[in-house]
């Protein structure tokens, strides 16, 4: 995943090591060293954030992702997407909504496609704003799927719309 995975060889090897062997300690040491040697490079903090996320340490991941975004010379959709996922995991819905909007606005290559709108729909659903959830679903094509969305094998906007309909029926 070139937009989400570091293209710096040292960081790429650390992330690959963690993913394949679960050797987080060594991978963390590599990322820590990179961040010390290159304190103005957002990629080191993005990689370390990804490591924290792999370990379920979302608060630490968020702190590094915030640093990454602060250091970005130009706003980066992938960095905002990583932070939005963390905020969603922490159930910080309003902040996640804002970052998913940043992703949609910054995605000039359309690499993310309608995914940010699907994520915004889920956040609005969590907040209980059913009209806004439906409005976001209107921005997602009917045939767009994202496996794993809302825990479904073939996730789509239909899961959000079904949940909206269920809530409106009072169940």
């Amino acid at each position: 995943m070139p937009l989400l995975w570091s293209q710096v060889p040292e960081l790429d090897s650390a992330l690959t090591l963690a993913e394949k062997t679960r050797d987080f300690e060594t991978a963390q040491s590599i990322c820590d060293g990179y961040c010390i040697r290159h304190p103005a490079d957002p990629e080191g903090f993005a990689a370390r954030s990804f490591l924290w996320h792999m370990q379920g340490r979302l608060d630490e991941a968020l702190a590094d992702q915030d640093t990454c975004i602060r250091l970005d010379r130009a706003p980066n959709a992938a960095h905002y997407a990583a932070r939005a996922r963390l905020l969603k995991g922490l159930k910080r819905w309003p902040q996640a909504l804002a970052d998913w909007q940043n992703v949609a606005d910054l995605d000039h290559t359309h690499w993310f496609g309608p995914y940010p709108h699907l994520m915004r729909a889920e956040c609005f659903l969590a907040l209980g704003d059913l009209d806004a959830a439906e409005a976001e679903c209107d921005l997602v094509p009917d045939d767009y799927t994202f496996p794993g969305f809302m825990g479904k094998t073939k996730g789509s906007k239909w899961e959000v719309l079904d949940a909206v309909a269920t809530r409106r029926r009072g169940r």
Side-chain angles (χ1 to χ4, degrees):
M1 281 191 282
L3 287 175
L4 301 176
W5 198 266
S6 177
Q7 298 301 294
V8 176
E10 179 179 355
L11 298 172
D12 177 62
S13 67
L15 294 172
T16 301
L17 175 72
E19 181 185 51
K20 292 186 182 211
T21 69
R22 311 306 278 174
D23 183 356
F24 294 114
E25 187 176 323
T26 301
Q28 194 79 37
S29 177
I30 294 167
C31 287
D32 287 346
Y34 187 89
C35 289
I36 289 167
R37 288 188 316 281
H38 307 280
D41 185 351
E43 292 306 316
F45 295 94
R48 195 167 66 184
S49 174
F50 202 85
L51 283 175
W52 290 125
H53 192 198
M54 283 181 183
Q55 298 171 77
R57 297 174 66 176
L58 301 185
D59 289 319
E60 290 96 332
L62 181 60
D64 272 343
Q65 200 61 39
D66 284 343
T67 300
C68 168
I69 289 170
R70 191 179 71 253
L71 292 172
D72 271 340
R73 287 189 187 99
N76 180 316
H79 291 163
Y80 278 97
R83 186 169 73 180
R85 280 184 20 247
L86 293 167
L87 291 165
K88 187 173 164 279
L90 291 165
K91 299 184 184 327
R92 291 165 67 176
W93 308 114
Q95 290 170 291
L97 278 166
D99 271 359
W100 284 122
Q101 187 60 53
N102 286 330
V103 173
D105 294 344
L106 294 169
D107 184 22
H108 306 298
T109 64
H110 306 288
W111 191 82
F112 287 95
Y115 182 70
H117 298 292
L118 194 58
M119 294 297 102
R120 284 178 53 81
E122 188 178 11
C123 291
F124 279 124
L125 181 65
L127 287 169
D129 190 339
L130 306 183
D131 292 335
E134 284 179 322
E136 287 294 329
C137 284
D138 287 342
L139 300 172
V140 177
D142 290 350
D143 62 348
Y144 178 78
T145 60
F146 192 85
F149 175 67
M150 289 187 69
K152 307 293 182 182
T153 304
K154 187 176 181 183
S156 70
K157 73 178 187 180
W158 304 110
E159 278 78 26
V160 173
L161 294 173
D162 286 346
V164 167
T166 299
R167 286 195 188 173
R168 289 209 165 137
R169 287 191 304 270
R171 294 189 200 160

